[in-house]
Amino acid sequence: EAARDAVDNDVHVVGISSQAAGHRTLAPLLIEELHKLGATEIIVICGGVIPSKDYKFLYEKGVKAIFGPGTNIPDAALNILNLIKSARSS
């Protein structure tokens, strides 16, 4: 449903906030569904309480950025804007 909504609304980024350890399942499934819909240009990012040991797994599955507790909001926003800019120039 989230993938379809992202495509229907022509978004650039989808953010997943994980508080209950769903990130290892939900992020890869979302990316898979986006790819099935031909929306490989949509960037998926994660935030929330994600153990650092899971970062590599998420990046390998296609997550483009991870923002944990205490992330500086302006820095995160700049990071996301740079991801969008990079994706659009590819």
Side-chain angles (χ1 to χ4, degrees):
E1 188 176 319
R4 171 55 53 200
D5 285 346
V7 171
D8 289 347
N9 289 289
D10 195 29
V11 303
H12 298 296
V13 179
V14 175
I16 297 173
S17 178
S18 178
Q19 302 298 324
H23 57 274
R24 288 185 60 90
T25 304
L26 297 176
L29 284 174
L30 174 61
I31 293 166
E32 181 181 321
E33 287 301 314
L34 288 169
H35 287 204
K36 285 180 186 175
L37 295 170
T40 58
E41 77 284 357
I42 295 177
I43 297 164
V44 175
I45 61 172
C46 291
V49 182
I50 298 173
S52 57
K53 66 182 175 79
D54 290 345
Y55 283 25
K56 181 179 181 202
F57 170 82
L58 292 171
Y59 286 129
E60 287 173 350
K61 294 295 181 178
V63 170
K64 298 300 181 191
I66 302 169
F67 304 103
T71 296
N72 178 287
I73 300 300
D75 289 345
L78 185 57
N79 186 324
I80 294 166
L81 289 171
N82 285 333
L83 286 169
I84 295 168
K85 182 179 177 181
S86 177
R88 297 296 174 216
S89 65
S90 305

